[in-house]
């Protein structure tokens, strides 16, 4: 299946080192506290699973399904919440866990929604950031890696719901884009 990858940007080994570093930062910042990890499905589940296994404090997890892509390789600009949180985050330390921040439109909307729910703190952890595509600025508290303006797949990232199971992060070969 790796024939759909035209170039590997982040190897499995680099992914592990990045997740270790991010977990170390969160462990330092939240030592002795409980946190709520909010994963944005579907892309974040692989990263969030790896990250939470490296955290040393009690973690509650919850998920949202939020989309602005709809089978395209670019954001439509319309944010659609398909699944909201199952529990209240009021008074809790919340970290949103995201696979990639591209335009910033989706994350900006999610941050505003969650801020209104009165968490004790609200931070953002993203495995990847694509600043060249940023339309709406968002503060990334814990950032794995910045990447160039390419459409990437693997490690939870998809194209039209496919290729999430590729163990590295790679550029999708354009011949596979509909």
């Amino acid at each position: 299946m790796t024939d759909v990858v035209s170039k590997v940007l982040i190897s499995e080994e680099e992914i592990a080192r990045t997740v270790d570093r991010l977990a170390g930062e969160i462990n330092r910042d939240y030592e002795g506290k409980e946190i709520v990890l909010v994963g944005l499905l579907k892309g974040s589940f692989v990263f969030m699973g790896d990250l939470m296994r490296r955290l040393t404090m009690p973690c509650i997890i919850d998920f949202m399904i939020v989309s602005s892509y709809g089978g395209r390789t670019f954001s439509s600009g319309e944010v659609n919440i398909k699944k909201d949180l199952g529990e209240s985050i009021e008074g809790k330390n919340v970290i949103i866990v995201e696979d990639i921040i591209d335009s910033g439109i989706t994350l900006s909307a999610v941050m505003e929604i969650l801020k209104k729910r009165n968490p004790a703190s609200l931070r953002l952890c993203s495995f990847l950031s694509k600043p060249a595509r940023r339309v709406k600025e968002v503060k990334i508290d814990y950032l794995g890696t910045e990447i160039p303006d390419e459409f990437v797949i693997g490690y939870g990232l998809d194209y039209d719901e496919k290729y999430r199971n590729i163990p590295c992060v790679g550029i999708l070969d354009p011949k596979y884009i509909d």
Side-chain angles (χ1 to χ4, degrees), residues 22 70 109 158 171:
L22 292 170
D158 75 301
I171 297 171

Side-chain angles (χ1 to χ4, degrees), residues 89-158:
I89 58 168
E90 186 170 352
K92 297 179 180 175
N93 295 304
V94 177
I95 300 175
I96 298 170
V97 179
E98 180 63 303
D99 55 353
I100 187 169
I101 300 174
D102 192 26
S103 70
I105 294 169
T106 302
L107 259 298
S108 177
V110 169
M111 296 287 285
E112 287 305 311
I113 290 165
L114 296 184
K115 281 179 191 173
K116 291 176 183 173
R117 297 179 185 179
N118 301 315
S121 66
L122 181 63
R123 290 191 176 172
L124 175 59
C125 177
S126 183
F127 183 67
L128 300 173
S129 175
K130 198 185 295 183
R133 298 288 289 266
R134 199 80 78 240
V135 172
K136 200 99 158 140
E137 283 305 315
V138 291
K139 181 182 181 228
I140 306 170
D141 301 284
Y142 306 102
L143 174 60
T145 306
E146 285 190 358
I147 61 169
D149 188 11
E150 300 282 354
F151 194 85
V152 292
I153 55 172
Y155 194 62
L157 298 148
D158 75 301

